[in-house]
Amino acid sequence: MATADLNKLQQILANAEDNDAVLSQIRKQVSKISSMVEDLNAMLDPGYKIEKKERKPRAANGTGKGPGRPRKNAVAE
């Protein structure tokens, strides 16, 4: 009788640890979702302005070729 109770207690403790891990993961995901909802609300605000990113021009490498992977059967040029 005591072993059955002890086994049940161990099972309850193991389940509690698993549930605690799941709850911590859920809390992390909920915080991410709430920040995303705040960002969405900011975007839906009538006074929201899109900020354009300033792009830097590509640096010329002097070879006249575009970027990319060299051919497998590259010949000496």
Side-chain angles (χ1 to χ4, degrees), residues 5-73:
D5 291 340
L6 193 56
N7 289 339
K8 189 165 186 159
L9 182 60
Q10 287 175 342
Q11 184 181 11
I12 289 172
L13 289 174
N15 287 342
E17 290 175 358
D18 292 342
N19 290 343
D20 189 42
V22 169
L23 282 175
S24 66
Q25 289 176 351
I26 289 173
R27 285 186 186 106
K28 288 178 186 176
Q29 297 301 324
V30 165
S31 66
K32 287 181 185 178
I33 290 172
S34 65
S35 68
M36 287 180 183
V37 167
E38 288 174 6
D39 292 344
L40 181 64
N41 284 336
M43 283 187 235
L44 293 176
D45 189 56
Y48 179 74
K49 299 282 185 193
I50 298 175
E51 296 176 12
K52 295 256 182 176
K53 288 187 177 180
E54 185 177 326
R55 299 190 70 162
K56 297 179 183 177
R58 287 188 180 172
N61 59 4
T63 62
K65 295 183 178 180
R69 180 176 171 213
R71 295 184 181 182
K72 282 187 174 180
N73 56 357

